[in-house]
Amino acid sequence: MNHAEAAVAFNRDENRVDWHDETLWFVRSKRDRAAQTLPEWEQLREAASQIKNHVLSNMHDLLTQFEQNALANGITVHWAADAAEHNAIVHKILVDNGVNRMVKSKSMLTEECHLNPYLTERGIEVIDSDLGERIVQMRNEPPSHIVMPAIHLKRADVGDTFHKHLGTEAGATDPQYLTEAARQHLRDTFLTRRVALTGVNFAIAETGGFVVCTNEGNADMGVHLADVHIACMGFEKIIPRAEHLSVFLRLLARSATGQPITTFSSHFHKPRRGYGRRGDGRRGDGRPGQQMHIVIVDNGRSRQLGRPEFRNSLKCIRCAACLNTCPVYRRSGGHSYHSAIAGPIGSILAPNIDMKQNADLPFASTLCGSCSNVCPVKIDIHEQLYKWRQVLMQEGYGPTAKTVSMRAMAGVLESPRLYRLAGKVGRGVLRFAPVLAENNLNPWYQHRDMPEAPGESFREWYVKRVMSDER
Amino acid sequence: MNVGLFIPCYVDQFYPQVARATLQLLESLGCTVAYPLDQTCCGQPMANAGYAHLTDGCNQNFIRNFSGFDYIVAPSGSCTLHIKHHLHGKGDTDERAAQQIQSRIYELTEFLTDVLRVESLPTRLPQRTVVGLHQSCHGQRGLNLAPMSELMREQGISKPAYLLRLVEGLELVDLDRRDECCGFGGTFCVTEEAISVKMGKDRLADHQRHGVEVITGVDVSCLMHLQGILRRQKSSVQVKHIAELLVKSEK
């Protein structure tokens, strides 16, 4: 189902669309208020954008520096060219440790790589520990938003899901009751999993460490209790120095949810020492207590880096401000984008991964430009959407009927004579045979009336006026 | 001051009264206005649909029609923005002509405020009218016609709102979402019909909540979309292009 078809389905329940729109507009408004509290907001955006520009131009050196420092810290560094390699690396770490179940905190990269189904097929149980992620996981749905994965669900939907999967009371909608049920369920998961996987928000070349931001502390809970920490990052998450974190951490949560900062910004630099299990199962013998792995993933990023008009998309810090502000996203829902990353940013990332599959996404926009204005790293999102449209249609991913009609339209509009003739005929049809336009085959007419056709065009009036003036 | 009047194709064909109002407004403010007779379209419908490679003919025609004016003025933010960003010539001479056009083309309201520096208008509405302004995205965010709610820096005034406030009897209201898109979006309005209509309805609801009698704006395309929905709703809310409100009635 393409974006337009999915949007039709989503819009069948108009009250739900209104609710979805208002929920996300509320977040966008919180973002505005949070940004207003910082007089230096636009300078911060500029600084973040410049740092990211520097990163994009020095990617190789920064990643190499990061690897060296991470290795020196005792972190095992893996490189994955694509999603398949990423998944295989994670799987091998689990197998090497004789583990068949894992807890995981939020990582859009693993969604992009479809890690969960890959591991499930290989007999490994994965439990997502971010509350929203866990809810959509139980429902066997992908996240509909990169920061608030279950934002498309109402309390009642969550109650039904928990009733089915966690045995809560039928019809329960009390947030405290439902959250408590999730807490108990996840507590058991945290206590019993020996491997925890997290994403990476920022990896610091200078220190070889990385930062994971969560609001629930679930990444820390998973990692602190596990013997193995696997962190997966797209290579664009690198930043040069620790001091640059201050710029990004101030922008990230304010842009995402309107909070001054995420509740937890956890810094990981080296594997924990001294809490390893001894032969008899007791803890603490002074040896490295934990393995720490980092998987650095390309999966099309170097291709995007090599496309001058689209490389800016790799500056993204996944705050979702562009989703929240996008009037189309708010009224079509995340799933309509049929891609791990929804919304405007997803629509410029997805065609890089698969042009044919995602040729519809750059068209799921009115090019209103609000996305580019909220972007904390100043990605020219709506301009990239425009550019993708050109690339996709030139590469032949447009429907044939559209290409034919666009050729015809261009032919008419480039010829003053044909244009005037077509205008006259078109107005005539609307005036004297409106049924030719006012029917259900005309998508404009389904929910909108046609404009009234005047007897004469402006040009016709103007020519008469000039003639009468000259007379 | 020698002004070339650019009237977008669909305005020429379906909204000639907007073009006439634009012409009269400019003339009443002392401009010598010429309407080049062989103009057609800026090429935006094809370009936004991903077919910019088919717009050479439109570009050539635009350059032929609009070279040599001191200023080019259009009652459309969207078409003006398209020309500013995407007009290209064939060969060096042509490209220079294209660049000259790009530096001389103005959307109507920015021409009035920035070039003519209009400080008063002799316009009075026959009766007190509550008006809502639809800030079209391309004009607002593309041409900086008005402050953008997402940006936190100083941004100046809303040029269309400034002009509307000069009209006696016109009461401009504040909307809840002052710069949300109406959902027209060129071919988006038919390829993504469901969302386009929903966005339009929501935009209208904001105006209707504030008791607006007339909705105005700088882009006829957005207004045409909103008007289509209003008519289907059998609403009494009127839609008028800003030129129709700013021009002194001939009566």
Side-chain angles (χ1 to χ4, degrees):
Chain A
M1 214 190 288
N2 68 29
H3 182 272
E5 290 160 356
V8 169
F10 190 75
N11 271 267
R12 283 206 186 100
D13 185 349
E14 190 168 353
N15 288 335
R16 204 176 174 96
V17 177
D18 290 337
W19 167 81
H20 192 260
D21 167 58
E22 278 156 24
T23 306
L24 288 151
W25 182 257
F26 174 74
V27 183
R28 149 76 212 265
S29 307
K30 274 180 72 186
R31 170 260 174 213
D32 292 350
R33 285 196 297 276
Q36 278 153 11
T37 62
L38 299 186
E40 69 276 31
W41 182 256
E42 298 297 336
Q43 285 100 303
L44 268 181
R45 286 178 73 217
E46 184 58 28
S49 172
Q50 299 284 356
I51 296 167
K52 283 285 184 180
N53 281 337
H54 173 83
V55 167
L56 296 184
S57 302
N58 296 278
M59 193 61 86
H60 170 85
D61 293 344
L62 291 170
L63 286 171
T64 313
Q65 189 192 355
F66 175 78
E67 182 185 37
Q68 279 170 0
N69 289 328
L71 288 171
N73 290 347
I75 304 175
T76 311
V77 180
H78 308 260
W79 297 88
D82 54 23
E85 247 181 61
H86 162 266
N87 293 346
I89 289 166
V90 173
H91 184 232
K92 184 167 184 302
I93 297 169
L94 291 161
V95 170
D96 288 350
N97 282 280
V99 163
N100 63 4
R101 46 189 206 167
M102 174 173 88
V103 65
K104 177 169 149 275
S105 72
K106 249 177 78 55
S107 150
M108 290 313 294
L109 175 70
T110 60
E111 288 293 326
E112 174 189 319
C113 296
H114 303 290
L115 177 69
N116 283 15
Y118 175 93
L119 291 179
T120 308
E121 279 165 27
R122 283 156 186 78
I124 291 179
E125 183 207 60
V126 182
I127 292 198
D128 283 317
S129 61
D130 172 273
L131 181 55
E133 290 272 348
R134 184 68 189 123
I135 294 165
V136 293
Q137 188 184 28
M138 285 176 187
R139 297 169 63 92
N140 205 18
E141 285 174 4
S144 73
H145 186 281
I146 58 180
V147 171
M148 300 170 283
I151 197 70
H152 60 295
L153 298 172
K154 295 191 179 188
R155 257 190 278 166
D157 303 320
V158 178
D160 291 346
T161 306
F162 280 11
H163 173 61
K164 198 169 152 196
H165 295 274
L166 299 180
T168 52
E169 278 173 47
T173 56
D174 176 40
Q176 203 172 343
Y177 170 75
L178 293 174
T179 315
E180 187 56 28
R183 190 194 304 273
Q184 294 304 332
H185 158 70
L186 286 172
R187 175 156 308 184
D188 179 60
T189 308
F190 290 132
L191 288 170
T192 53
R193 299 310 188 262
R194 288 184 49 226
V195 177
L197 186 145
T198 70
V200 170
N201 287 90
F202 305 99
I204 305 135
E206 178 191 31
T207 65
F210 57 94
V211 175
V212 179
C213 301
T214 73
N215 270 327
E216 298 166 14
N218 58 306
D220 306 61
M221 296 274 275
V223 165
H224 291 165
L225 293 166
D227 300 329
V228 181
H229 177 182
I230 307 171
C232 299
M233 63 176 259
F235 69 53
E236 79 282 13
K237 296 285 175 164
I238 193 84
I239 58 170
R241 299 158 68 90
E243 69 190 38
H244 297 138
L245 273 173
S246 60
V247 174
F248 293 105
L249 291 177
R250 296 184 78 199
L251 285 165
L252 178 65
R254 285 184 173 91
S255 297
T257 59
Q259 294 165 261
I261 196 161
T262 45
T263 315
F264 297 84
S265 301
S266 309
H267 298 239
F268 298 97
H269 280 93
K270 50 183 68 172
R272 222 181 22 237
R273 288 195 170 270
Y275 296 97
R277 284 203 167 89
R278 301 202 299 206
D280 57 7
R282 282 185 296 154
R283 285 169 179 267
D285 62 355
R287 286 183 302 171
Q290 191 192 38
Q291 298 170 38
M292 194 177 271
H293 298 265
I294 188 147
V295 189
I296 303 174
V297 181
D298 182 333
N299 203 35
R301 284 162 177 76
S302 47
R303 190 168 57 233
Q304 191 90 325
L305 191 60
R307 289 186 168 119
E309 63 271 52
F310 300 117
R311 74 201 292 260
N312 259 347
S313 62
L314 296 174
K315 288 155 74 177
C316 178
I317 57 171
R318 301 290 190 269
C319 69
C322 63
L323 281 71
N324 301 339
T325 203
C326 178
V328 176
Y329 172 87
R330 278 187 263 117
R331 291 174 183 82
S332 64
H335 291 154
S336 65
Y337 293 80
H338 56 77
S339 174
I341 313 274
I345 182 67
S347 297
I348 55 177
L349 292 172
N352 175 54
I353 293 174
D354 186 337
M355 283 203 216
K356 189 171 162 34
Q357 202 69 36
N358 300 310
D360 57 327
L361 295 182
F363 292 91
S365 164
T366 59
L367 306 181
C368 80
S370 185
C371 47
S372 304
N373 276 355
V374 294
C375 180
V377 289
K378 290 194 169 182
I379 303 172
D380 50 343
I381 302 175
H382 75 293
E383 284 165 30
Q384 295 198 22
L385 290 167
Y386 177 88
K387 288 174 192 159
W388 263 125
R389 294 180 182 190
Q390 312 310 325
V391 172
L392 291 164
M393 295 305 102
Q394 279 205 295
E395 301 260 330
Y397 294 109
T400 314
K402 181 180 170 188
T403 307
V404 169
S405 68
M406 281 297 155
R407 282 224 175 87
M409 195 173 181
V412 169
L413 293 175
E414 70 188 29
S415 154
R417 195 177 48 80
L418 278 180
Y419 157 76
R420 293 197 285 267
L421 180 67
K424 222 179 175 73
V425 172
R427 278 184 285 122
V429 165
L430 278 176
R431 283 164 67 81
F432 304 114
V435 68
L436 291 178
E438 295 176 355
N439 60 61
N440 282 335
L441 293 175
N442 174 2
W444 174 278
Y445 187 69
Q446 284 178 19
H447 298 97
R448 283 168 291 216
D449 281 4
M450 297 294 289
E452 268 169 40
E456 60 180 6
S457 68
F458 170 72
R459 184 185 184 277
E460 287 163 359
W461 172 86
Y462 183 84
V463 168
K464 271 196 244 164
R465 186 186 90 146
V466 171
M467 282 165 64
S468 69
D469 282 357
E470 283 171 357
R471 230 179 267 143
Chain B
M1 190 180 287
N2 170 19
V3 173
L5 180 63
F6 165 42
I7 298 301
C9 49
Y10 67 101
V11 178
D12 174 39
Q13 294 296 329
F14 293 107
Y15 295 90
Q17 74 277 16
V18 172
R20 288 201 299 272
T22 306
L23 175 63
Q24 282 159 13
L25 182 59
L26 289 170
E27 286 180 341
S28 74
L29 293 167
C31 301
T32 308
V33 186
Y35 172 80
L37 289 173
D38 275 345
Q39 59 180 290
T40 58
C41 165
C42 64
Q44 185 180 204
M46 284 81 74
N48 278 11
Y51 294 84
H53 56 285
L54 297 181
T55 58
D56 280 352
C58 279
N59 286 339
Q60 295 287 299
N61 192 52
F62 200 94
I63 294 168
R64 267 197 301 275
N65 276 278
F66 287 100
S67 293
F69 286 103
D70 297 335
Y71 294 100
I72 299 138
V73 177
S76 163
S78 185
C79 304
T80 302
L81 181 69
H82 178 77
I83 291 296
K84 261 195 186 303
H85 282 186
H86 302 297
L87 185 71
H88 289 295
K90 268 200 160 141
D92 286 350
T93 322
D94 233 21
E95 187 58 34
R96 269 197 299 280
Q99 283 168 8
Q100 272 200 337
I101 288 172
Q102 288 177 317
S103 65
R104 293 173 184 188
I105 190 165
Y106 283 82
E107 181 278 329
L108 175 64
T109 64
E110 69 175 344
F111 183 72
L112 299 189
T113 58
D114 298 6
V115 180
L116 298 182
R117 305 202 173 269
V118 167
E119 286 177 359
S120 64
L121 285 168
T123 321
R124 166 205 296 254
L125 296 181
Q127 61 200 37
R128 191 180 148 275
T129 310
V130 182
V131 173
L133 170 63
H134 175 64
Q135 296 276 17
S136 298
C137 306
H138 287 182
Q140 187 194 21
R141 300 199 182 86
L143 298 173
N144 289 314
L145 294 188
M148 295 156 253
S149 61
E150 307 92 4
L151 294 181
M152 302 298 147
R153 58 172 153 77
E154 288 292 316
Q155 300 175 66
I157 58 154
S158 164
K159 294 169 189 180
Y162 166 78
L163 293 166
L164 287 168
R165 291 203 176 94
L166 300 178
V167 176
E168 208 179 314
L170 189 154
E171 188 192 324
L172 195 60
V173 301
D174 290 327
L175 301 170
D176 294 335
R177 301 188 190 178
R178 63 182 163 94
D179 53 9
E180 173 121 307
C181 175
C182 70
F184 171 71
T187 51
F188 181 90
C189 71
V190 293
T191 56
E192 290 267 12
E193 187 263 347
I195 300 177
S196 173
V197 168
K198 180 61 180 148
M199 286 169 67
K201 282 167 69 179
D202 291 354
R203 201 76 288 265
L204 287 170
D206 199 345
H207 287 271
Q208 286 158 336
R209 267 198 304 278
H210 290 85
V212 160
E213 296 162 275
V214 175
I215 297 177
T216 192
V218 301
D219 267 282
V220 182
S221 50
C222 309
L223 297 176
M224 172 171 74
H225 162 67
L226 294 173
Q227 187 182 49
I229 300 170
L230 280 171
R231 285 203 177 142
R232 188 59 62 91
Q233 292 174 346
K234 309 217 181 302
S235 162
S236 63
V237 174
Q238 299 289 304
V239 171
K240 284 192 195 314
H241 184 266
I242 193 164
E244 298 176 90
L245 290 176
L246 299 182
V247 74
K248 196 167 176 239
S249 162
E250 287 169 335
K251 277 174 238 157

